[in-house]
Amino acid sequence: QVQLVESGGGSAQAGESLRLSCTASGAVWSIKAMGYYRQAPGKQRELVAAISFEGKTYYAIPVKGRFTISADNLENSINLQMDSLTIEDTAVYYCNAGWWSGDFYTQGNYWGRGTQVTVSS
């Protein structure tokens, strides 16, 4: 079993920055990659960014150039630095532990509880 605990998030104005962190515990030896998904009201959950512990990264087009994902292998954690936030970034952000398959991040079964990010104009 893997437990994922998220921190960070909150409220910001458009153009500002926020930072999310996710720390894994339990069977961390089984984790090869982690990512952040988000779900806005009335929308499906979508992959925002992901990183393998070998350094591969993925960014969804809407956040490319604004968000940066990083990993701390020793701490079994990832961080998502979110800059130049827009109203469209408002969502609940969920941490996920999965794996990398070729060039793609594959969603695993372990999820954090989610953290709210609210961006206002």
Side-chain angles (χ1 to χ4, degrees), residues 63-114:
V63 307
K64 218 168 203 178
R66 300 188 298 119
F67 290 11
T68 304
I69 193 167
S70 60
D72 184 335
N73 292 11
L74 294 179
E75 297 292 331
N76 299 309
S77 66
I78 62 171
N79 300 297
L80 184 67
Q81 178 66 34
M82 305 183 294
D83 298 321
S84 302
L85 286 163
T86 71
I87 294 174
E88 288 72 30
D89 295 319
T90 295
V92 178
Y93 285 70
Y94 297 90
C95 180
N96 177 262
W99 62 92
W100 217 267
S101 179
D103 293 330
F104 301 99
Y105 177 76
T106 300
Q107 173 185 304
N109 293 326
Y110 299 111
W111 293 92
R113 290 188 174 184

Side-chain angles (χ1 to χ4, degrees), residues 7-12 18-20 82 85 90-91 115-119:
S7 61
S11 298
L18 287 172
R19 184 177 177 91
L20 305 180
M82 305 183 294
L85 286 163
T90 295
T115 185
Q116 178 70 45
V117 170
T118 302
V119 183

